Amino acid sequence: MSSNDISHGGFAGNPGANLPALRGHNAALVLGLLRAAGEEGVSRLELAERIGLTPQAVSKITARLRADGMVAEAGRRASTGGKPATVLRLVPGARHAVGLHLDRDELTAVLADLAGEAVAVRRAPLAFEAGAGQVLATAEREVAALRAEAGGPPVLGAGVACPGPLDHLTGVLHRVTGAPRWDGFPLRDALAERLGLPVVLDKDTNAAALGLAHGIPSGAGSFGYLHLGTGLGAGLVLGGSLYRGARTGAGEFGHQIVQWDGPRCGCGRRGCIEALCLAAVARGDLPGAARALGVGAANLVELLDIDRVLLGGRTVLEHPEAFLGGVAQALDEQAGTRGRTGAGRAVPVALARGGARAVADGAAELVLAPLFGTRQS
């Protein structure tokens, strides 16, 4: 490989850098800029300026990407005195990625293109607590049907999102609340064998947060995604990057204790926000559930000083106004105690985009993000 393929910054000063890795790194940066540009595209000169590579290096990289069918010409820009610049764009349909959301009672499968847009979706009943046999069989069947339905280009891999806690590095589940038989099960490797695809595994809330962070420049934003469905958890994006924690355990939001003598939680303790929320929903007390969720959201803002709170999960989506109102009220009160009263001072709260498919879409992004140089902590 020519030295022109090596970036002038970042890896370039590292004498121990692996050159094939550098080549992949630079191609990922190019693909990331093309993905962000959308149909408008980017010229080679603009790519070189933004990444810090020579025009010759960018030409070599884009030639390889065009040969792979991932990049195409998108016309020419009007001349400003020199030769009109050829504009390049990503070809979204050149590759696909599978996203699987293994919820406690339902599997959602999406096939996404390189832009992260779903080209096919399937849903099926699931009994996650029943253990691996039924889950693996259902996943294998639905992914096969999804690929047969869509046909088309090669599939890069499958991103899988399920309840935690788990270790995303080893792909092994830990003591999932209410599903003890999963403890220690190597779900990632088992699914890879069944699907015949590379598999990336993460918690449902982390996957959703990664998908929601798509399009946010690195370092440009922090938010908490709160997911209330059959359980309650959080995905954290800090400084534009997904935060998993040193032991991949960040985001166990639902198991913070706020009432010592509260209802028993599935984790074995009492007074967890998850237990309070679910108990309130079960008895039809939506204001009480929203208030409990709001207390947790205010605690999160107090602890991490995040920029915004996003809400998702089936329970929230069934009653969006109640939960948005309850959480917004709690955040307003929290801002007032810190002297941040007035219009626009409280941290804003909104529904997460993607609706009921937010986790599955984010699971596909687990596969796509590395291709575009997206940081995953």
Side-chain angles (χ1 to χ4, degrees), residues 109-140:
V110 303
L111 197 63
D113 64 17
L114 292 178
E117 298 296 325
V119 298
V121 181
R122 290 183 64 87
R123 290 184 172 85
L126 194 71
F128 189 78
E129 287 83 354
Q134 183 258 159
V135 170
L136 293 172
T138 302
E140 182 179 19

PDB file of all heavy atoms in Angstrom, residues 109-140:
ATOM      1  N   ALA A 109     -37.523  -8.250  13.548  1.00  0.00           N
ATOM      2  CA  ALA A 109     -36.369  -8.381  12.663  1.00  0.00           C
ATOM      3  C   ALA A 109     -36.465  -7.355  11.549  1.00  0.00           C
ATOM      4  O   ALA A 109     -37.531  -7.193  10.945  1.00  0.00           O
ATOM      5  CB  ALA A 109     -36.303  -9.786  12.073  1.00  0.00           C
ATOM      6  N   VAL A 110     -35.375  -6.648  11.290  1.00  0.00           N
ATOM      7  CA  VAL A 110     -35.330  -5.707  10.178  1.00  0.00           C
ATOM      8  C   VAL A 110     -34.131  -6.036   9.294  1.00  0.00           C
ATOM      9  O   VAL A 110     -33.113  -6.561   9.766  1.00  0.00           O
ATOM     10  CB  VAL A 110     -35.225  -4.232  10.646  1.00  0.00           C
ATOM     11  CG1 VAL A 110     -36.379  -3.871  11.561  1.00  0.00           C
ATOM     12  CG2 VAL A 110     -33.893  -3.955  11.314  1.00  0.00           C
ATOM     13  N   LEU A 111     -34.277  -5.736   8.026  1.00  0.00           N
ATOM     14  CA  LEU A 111     -33.160  -5.769   7.088  1.00  0.00           C
ATOM     15  C   LEU A 111     -32.938  -4.323   6.664  1.00  0.00           C
ATOM     16  O   LEU A 111     -33.831  -3.695   6.088  1.00  0.00           O
ATOM     17  CB  LEU A 111     -33.488  -6.654   5.891  1.00  0.00           C
ATOM     18  CG  LEU A 111     -32.310  -7.106   5.027  1.00  0.00           C
ATOM     19  CD1 LEU A 111     -31.355  -7.977   5.831  1.00  0.00           C
ATOM     20  CD2 LEU A 111     -32.804  -7.856   3.800  1.00  0.00           C
ATOM     21  N   ALA A 112     -31.764  -3.782   6.997  1.00  0.00           N
ATOM     22  CA  ALA A 112     -31.481  -2.372   6.760  1.00  0.00           C
ATOM     23  C   ALA A 112     -30.439  -2.215   5.661  1.00  0.00           C
ATOM     24  O   ALA A 112     -29.537  -3.044   5.520  1.00  0.00           O
ATOM     25  CB  ALA A 112     -30.982  -1.711   8.050  1.00  0.00           C
ATOM     26  N   ASP A 113     -30.551  -1.116   4.908  1.00  0.00           N
ATOM     27  CA  ASP A 113     -29.529  -0.809   3.908  1.00  0.00           C
ATOM     28  C   ASP A 113     -28.406  -0.008   4.551  1.00  0.00           C
ATOM     29  O   ASP A 113     -28.407   0.233   5.771  1.00  0.00           O
ATOM     30  CB  ASP A 113     -30.141  -0.082   2.709  1.00  0.00           C
ATOM     31  CG  ASP A 113     -30.724   1.292   3.035  1.00  0.00           C
ATOM     32  OD1 ASP A 113     -30.388   1.859   4.099  1.00  0.00           O
ATOM     33  OD2 ASP A 113     -31.507   1.809   2.222  1.00  0.00           O
ATOM     34  N   LEU A 114     -27.434   0.424   3.759  1.00  0.00           N
ATOM     35  CA  LEU A 114     -26.270   1.117   4.310  1.00  0.00           C
ATOM     36  C   LEU A 114     -26.604   2.472   4.909  1.00  0.00           C
ATOM     37  O   LEU A 114     -25.850   2.992   5.732  1.00  0.00           O
ATOM     38  CB  LEU A 114     -25.198   1.283   3.227  1.00  0.00           C
ATOM     39  CG  LEU A 114     -24.519  -0.004   2.752  1.00  0.00           C
ATOM     40  CD1 LEU A 114     -23.525   0.298   1.642  1.00  0.00           C
ATOM     41  CD2 LEU A 114     -23.830  -0.717   3.912  1.00  0.00           C
ATOM     42  N   ALA A 115     -27.732   3.043   4.526  1.00  0.00           N
ATOM     43  CA  ALA A 115     -28.165   4.308   5.123  1.00  0.00           C
ATOM     44  C   ALA A 115     -28.902   4.083   6.436  1.00  0.00           C
ATOM     45  O   ALA A 115     -29.302   5.047   7.100  1.00  0.00           O
ATOM     46  CB  ALA A 115     -29.055   5.076   4.147  1.00  0.00           C
ATOM     47  N   GLY A 116     -29.095   2.814   6.822  1.00  0.00           N
ATOM     48  CA  GLY A 116     -29.817   2.508   8.049  1.00  0.00           C
ATOM     49  C   GLY A 116     -31.314   2.447   7.874  1.00  0.00           C
ATOM     50  O   GLY A 116     -32.049   2.313   8.855  1.00  0.00           O
ATOM     51  N   GLU A 117     -31.800   2.505   6.638  1.00  0.00           N
ATOM     52  CA  GLU A 117     -33.237   2.455   6.376  1.00  0.00           C
ATOM     53  C   GLU A 117     -33.691   1.008   6.225  1.00  0.00           C
ATOM     54  O   GLU A 117     -33.038   0.205   5.538  1.00  0.00           O
ATOM     55  CB  GLU A 117     -33.576   3.229   5.101  1.00  0.00           C
ATOM     56  CG  GLU A 117     -33.249   4.713   5.163  1.00  0.00           C
ATOM     57  CD  GLU A 117     -34.069   5.448   6.212  1.00  0.00           C
ATOM     58  OE1 GLU A 117     -35.254   5.066   6.393  1.00  0.00           O
ATOM     59  OE2 GLU A 117     -33.547   6.382   6.822  1.00  0.00           O
ATOM     60  N   ALA A 118     -34.817   0.677   6.858  1.00  0.00           N
ATOM     61  CA  ALA A 118     -35.336  -0.692   6.794  1.00  0.00           C
ATOM     62  C   ALA A 118     -35.926  -0.968   5.419  1.00  0.00           C
ATOM     63  O   ALA A 118     -36.752  -0.193   4.917  1.00  0.00           O
ATOM     64  CB  ALA A 118     -36.383  -0.906   7.868  1.00  0.00           C
ATOM     65  N   VAL A 119     -35.514  -2.069   4.803  1.00  0.00           N
ATOM     66  CA  VAL A 119     -36.080  -2.478   3.522  1.00  0.00           C
ATOM     67  C   VAL A 119     -37.043  -3.653   3.694  1.00  0.00           C
ATOM     68  O   VAL A 119     -37.802  -3.981   2.781  1.00  0.00           O
ATOM     69  CB  VAL A 119     -34.968  -2.834   2.506  1.00  0.00           C
ATOM     70  CG1 VAL A 119     -34.106  -1.633   2.228  1.00  0.00           C
ATOM     71  CG2 VAL A 119     -34.111  -3.997   3.003  1.00  0.00           C
ATOM     72  N   ALA A 120     -37.028  -4.294   4.851  1.00  0.00           N
ATOM     73  CA  ALA A 120     -37.968  -5.373   5.159  1.00  0.00           C
ATOM     74  C   ALA A 120     -38.058  -5.511   6.676  1.00  0.00           C
ATOM     75  O   ALA A 120     -37.080  -5.284   7.386  1.00  0.00           O
ATOM     76  CB  ALA A 120     -37.521  -6.692   4.529  1.00  0.00           C
ATOM     77  N   VAL A 121     -39.240  -5.863   7.166  1.00  0.00           N
ATOM     78  CA  VAL A 121     -39.491  -5.995   8.607  1.00  0.00           C
ATOM     79  C   VAL A 121     -40.356  -7.230   8.854  1.00  0.00           C
ATOM     80  O   VAL A 121     -41.297  -7.491   8.098  1.00  0.00           O
ATOM     81  CB  VAL A 121     -40.211  -4.745   9.171  1.00  0.00           C
ATOM     82  CG1 VAL A 121     -40.431  -4.895  10.682  1.00  0.00           C
ATOM     83  CG2 VAL A 121     -39.433  -3.468   8.871  1.00  0.00           C
ATOM     84  N   ARG A 122     -40.037  -7.971   9.906  1.00  0.00           N
ATOM     85  CA  ARG A 122     -40.867  -9.106  10.319  1.00  0.00           C
ATOM     86  C   ARG A 122     -41.002  -9.099  11.842  1.00  0.00           C
ATOM     87  O   ARG A 122     -40.097  -8.663  12.547  1.00  0.00           O
ATOM     88  CB  ARG A 122     -40.258 -10.442   9.869  1.00  0.00           C
ATOM     89  CG  ARG A 122     -40.312 -10.678   8.367  1.00  0.00           C
ATOM     90  CD  ARG A 122     -39.757 -12.047   8.012  1.00  0.00           C
ATOM     91  NE  ARG A 122     -40.551 -13.138   8.570  1.00  0.00           N
ATOM     92  CZ  ARG A 122     -41.612 -13.675   7.989  1.00  0.00           C
ATOM     93  NH1 ARG A 122     -42.032 -13.216   6.817  1.00  0.00           N
ATOM     94  NH2 ARG A 122     -42.257 -14.677   8.560  1.00  0.00           N
ATOM     95  N   ARG A 123     -42.118  -9.630  12.311  1.00  0.00           N
ATOM     96  CA  ARG A 123     -42.350  -9.775  13.753  1.00  0.00           C
ATOM     97  C   ARG A 123     -42.897 -11.168  14.032  1.00  0.00           C
ATOM     98  O   ARG A 123     -43.608 -11.735  13.210  1.00  0.00           O
ATOM     99  CB  ARG A 123     -43.318  -8.709  14.269  1.00  0.00           C
ATOM    100  CG  ARG A 123     -42.732  -7.307  14.284  1.00  0.00           C
ATOM    101  CD  ARG A 123     -43.697  -6.298  14.904  1.00  0.00           C
ATOM    102  NE  ARG A 123     -43.067  -5.000  15.088  1.00  0.00           N
ATOM    103  CZ  ARG A 123     -42.989  -4.065  14.147  1.00  0.00           C
ATOM    104  NH1 ARG A 123     -43.527  -4.291  12.947  1.00  0.00           N
ATOM    105  NH2 ARG A 123     -42.401  -2.916  14.387  1.00  0.00           N
ATOM    106  N   ALA A 124     -42.565 -11.691  15.211  1.00  0.00           N
ATOM    107  CA  ALA A 124     -43.036 -13.020  15.587  1.00  0.00           C
ATOM    108  C   ALA A 124     -43.119 -13.106  17.107  1.00  0.00           C
ATOM    109  O   ALA A 124     -42.338 -12.467  17.818  1.00  0.00           O
ATOM    110  CB  ALA A 124     -42.093 -14.099  15.059  1.00  0.00           C
ATOM    111  N   PRO A 125     -44.051 -13.906  17.634  1.00  0.00           N
ATOM    112  CA  PRO A 125     -44.110 -14.111  19.086  1.00  0.00           C
ATOM    113  C   PRO A 125     -42.832 -14.774  19.587  1.00  0.00           C
ATOM    114  O   PRO A 125     -42.194 -15.547  18.867  1.00  0.00           O
ATOM    115  CB  PRO A 125     -45.320 -15.032  19.270  1.00  0.00           C
ATOM    116  CG  PRO A 125     -46.099 -14.927  18.007  1.00  0.00           C
ATOM    117  CD  PRO A 125     -45.108 -14.642  16.919  1.00  0.00           C
ATOM    118  N   LEU A 126     -42.492 -14.469  20.840  1.00  0.00           N
ATOM    119  CA  LEU A 126     -41.269 -15.010  21.433  1.00  0.00           C
ATOM    120  C   LEU A 126     -41.498 -15.209  22.932  1.00  0.00           C
ATOM    121  O   LEU A 126     -42.218 -14.428  23.554  1.00  0.00           O
ATOM    122  CB  LEU A 126     -40.099 -14.040  21.204  1.00  0.00           C
ATOM    123  CG  LEU A 126     -38.692 -14.567  21.465  1.00  0.00           C
ATOM    124  CD1 LEU A 126     -38.284 -15.563  20.384  1.00  0.00           C
ATOM    125  CD2 LEU A 126     -37.692 -13.410  21.484  1.00  0.00           C
ATOM    126  N   ALA A 127     -40.894 -16.234  23.482  1.00  0.00           N
ATOM    127  CA  ALA A 127     -40.904 -16.445  24.933  1.00  0.00           C
ATOM    128  C   ALA A 127     -39.459 -16.452  25.389  1.00  0.00           C
ATOM    129  O   ALA A 127     -38.841 -17.515  25.540  1.00  0.00           O
ATOM    130  CB  ALA A 127     -41.616 -17.741  25.296  1.00  0.00           C
ATOM    131  N   PHE A 128     -38.897 -15.284  25.609  1.00  0.00           N
ATOM    132  CA  PHE A 128     -37.473 -15.171  25.910  1.00  0.00           C
ATOM    133  C   PHE A 128     -37.099 -15.939  27.173  1.00  0.00           C
ATOM    134  O   PHE A 128     -36.040 -16.556  27.245  1.00  0.00           O
ATOM    135  CB  PHE A 128     -37.104 -13.690  26.056  1.00  0.00           C
ATOM    136  CG  PHE A 128     -35.626 -13.439  26.156  1.00  0.00           C
ATOM    137  CD1 PHE A 128     -34.825 -13.467  25.032  1.00  0.00           C
ATOM    138  CD2 PHE A 128     -35.030 -13.177  27.391  1.00  0.00           C
ATOM    139  CE1 PHE A 128     -33.455 -13.238  25.117  1.00  0.00           C
ATOM    140  CE2 PHE A 128     -33.673 -12.951  27.491  1.00  0.00           C
ATOM    141  CZ  PHE A 128     -32.880 -12.980  26.346  1.00  0.00           C
ATOM    142  N   GLU A 129     -37.980 -15.903  28.168  1.00  0.00           N
ATOM    143  CA  GLU A 129     -37.686 -16.583  29.427  1.00  0.00           C
ATOM    144  C   GLU A 129     -37.597 -18.094  29.269  1.00  0.00           C
ATOM    145  O   GLU A 129     -37.042 -18.783  30.121  1.00  0.00           O
ATOM    146  CB  GLU A 129     -38.755 -16.241  30.484  1.00  0.00           C
ATOM    147  CG  GLU A 129     -38.672 -14.831  31.034  1.00  0.00           C
ATOM    148  CD  GLU A 129     -39.373 -13.804  30.137  1.00  0.00           C
ATOM    149  OE1 GLU A 129     -39.822 -14.196  29.035  1.00  0.00           O
ATOM    150  OE2 GLU A 129     -39.444 -12.622  30.525  1.00  0.00           O
ATOM    151  N   ALA A 130     -38.135 -18.629  28.150  1.00  0.00           N
ATOM    152  CA  ALA A 130     -38.126 -20.082  27.953  1.00  0.00           C
ATOM    153  C   ALA A 130     -36.739 -20.617  27.645  1.00  0.00           C
ATOM    154  O   ALA A 130     -36.510 -21.824  27.707  1.00  0.00           O
ATOM    155  CB  ALA A 130     -39.095 -20.460  26.830  1.00  0.00           C
ATOM    156  N   GLY A 131     -35.823 -19.735  27.298  1.00  0.00           N
ATOM    157  CA  GLY A 131     -34.458 -20.180  27.075  1.00  0.00           C
ATOM    158  C   GLY A 131     -34.068 -20.261  25.618  1.00  0.00           C
ATOM    159  O   GLY A 131     -34.800 -19.847  24.709  1.00  0.00           O
ATOM    160  N   ALA A 132     -32.884 -20.831  25.377  1.00  0.00           N
ATOM    161  CA  ALA A 132     -32.213 -20.693  24.091  1.00  0.00           C
ATOM    162  C   ALA A 132     -32.884 -21.440  22.940  1.00  0.00           C
ATOM    163  O   ALA A 132     -32.924 -20.928  21.822  1.00  0.00           O
ATOM    164  CB  ALA A 132     -30.776 -21.165  24.226  1.00  0.00           C
ATOM    165  N   GLY A 133     -33.386 -22.641  23.169  1.00  0.00           N
ATOM    166  CA  GLY A 133     -33.883 -23.458  22.071  1.00  0.00           C
ATOM    167  C   GLY A 133     -34.920 -22.752  21.220  1.00  0.00           C
ATOM    168  O   GLY A 133     -34.789 -22.650  19.995  1.00  0.00           O
ATOM    169  N   GLN A 134     -35.966 -22.247  21.867  1.00  0.00           N
ATOM    170  CA  GLN A 134     -37.048 -21.597  21.143  1.00  0.00           C
ATOM    171  C   GLN A 134     -36.592 -20.285  20.522  1.00  0.00           C
ATOM    172  O   GLN A 134     -36.957 -19.950  19.392  1.00  0.00           O
ATOM    173  CB  GLN A 134     -38.223 -21.365  22.108  1.00  0.00           C
ATOM    174  CG  GLN A 134     -39.455 -20.753  21.466  1.00  0.00           C
ATOM    175  CD  GLN A 134     -39.579 -19.256  21.763  1.00  0.00           C
ATOM    176  OE1 GLN A 134     -40.262 -18.540  21.047  1.00  0.00           O
ATOM    177  NE2 GLN A 134     -38.928 -18.783  22.813  1.00  0.00           N
ATOM    178  N   VAL A 135     -35.754 -19.539  21.231  1.00  0.00           N
ATOM    179  CA  VAL A 135     -35.289 -18.244  20.728  1.00  0.00           C
ATOM    180  C   VAL A 135     -34.421 -18.425  19.487  1.00  0.00           C
ATOM    181  O   VAL A 135     -34.586 -17.729  18.481  1.00  0.00           O
ATOM    182  CB  VAL A 135     -34.524 -17.482  21.829  1.00  0.00           C
ATOM    183  CG1 VAL A 135     -33.822 -16.256  21.251  1.00  0.00           C
ATOM    184  CG2 VAL A 135     -35.482 -17.058  22.941  1.00  0.00           C
ATOM    185  N   LEU A 136     -33.484 -19.362  19.523  1.00  0.00           N
ATOM    186  CA  LEU A 136     -32.607 -19.602  18.379  1.00  0.00           C
ATOM    187  C   LEU A 136     -33.397 -20.071  17.160  1.00  0.00           C
ATOM    188  O   LEU A 136     -33.140 -19.637  16.033  1.00  0.00           O
ATOM    189  CB  LEU A 136     -31.531 -20.620  18.736  1.00  0.00           C
ATOM    190  CG  LEU A 136     -30.492 -20.177  19.775  1.00  0.00           C
ATOM    191  CD1 LEU A 136     -29.608 -21.351  20.173  1.00  0.00           C
ATOM    192  CD2 LEU A 136     -29.638 -19.029  19.243  1.00  0.00           C
ATOM    193  N   ALA A 137     -34.348 -20.946  17.380  1.00  0.00           N
ATOM    194  CA  ALA A 137     -35.146 -21.457  16.264  1.00  0.00           C
ATOM    195  C   ALA A 137     -35.978 -20.346  15.630  1.00  0.00           C
ATOM    196  O   ALA A 137     -36.081 -20.249  14.400  1.00  0.00           O
ATOM    197  CB  ALA A 137     -36.050 -22.596  16.740  1.00  0.00           C
ATOM    198  N   THR A 138     -36.576 -19.505  16.468  1.00  0.00           N
ATOM    199  CA  THR A 138     -37.393 -18.405  15.947  1.00  0.00           C
ATOM    200  C   THR A 138     -36.535 -17.409  15.189  1.00  0.00           C
ATOM    201  O   THR A 138     -36.904 -16.946  14.104  1.00  0.00           O
ATOM    202  CB  THR A 138     -38.132 -17.698  17.097  1.00  0.00           C
ATOM    203  OG1 THR A 138     -38.949 -18.639  17.793  1.00  0.00           O
ATOM    204  CG2 THR A 138     -39.025 -16.576  16.562  1.00  0.00           C
ATOM    205  N   ALA A 139     -35.370 -17.075  15.748  1.00  0.00           N
ATOM    206  CA  ALA A 139     -34.481 -16.125  15.080  1.00  0.00           C
ATOM    207  C   ALA A 139     -34.027 -16.669  13.730  1.00  0.00           C
ATOM    208  O   ALA A 139     -34.028 -15.945  12.719  1.00  0.00           O
ATOM    209  CB  ALA A 139     -33.282 -15.820  15.961  1.00  0.00           C
ATOM    210  N   GLU A 140     -33.646 -17.939  13.689  1.00  0.00           N
ATOM    211  CA  GLU A 140     -33.190 -18.537  12.433  1.00  0.00           C
ATOM    212  C   GLU A 140     -34.298 -18.505  11.381  1.00  0.00           C
ATOM    213  O   GLU A 140     -34.062 -18.142  10.218  1.00  0.00           O
ATOM    214  CB  GLU A 140     -32.744 -19.972  12.685  1.00  0.00           C
ATOM    215  CG  GLU A 140     -32.206 -20.665  11.439  1.00  0.00           C
ATOM    216  CD  GLU A 140     -31.741 -22.090  11.724  1.00  0.00           C
ATOM    217  OE1 GLU A 140     -32.158 -22.657  12.768  1.00  0.00           O
ATOM    218  OE2 GLU A 140     -30.978 -22.634  10.915  1.00  0.00           O
TER     219      GLU A 140
END
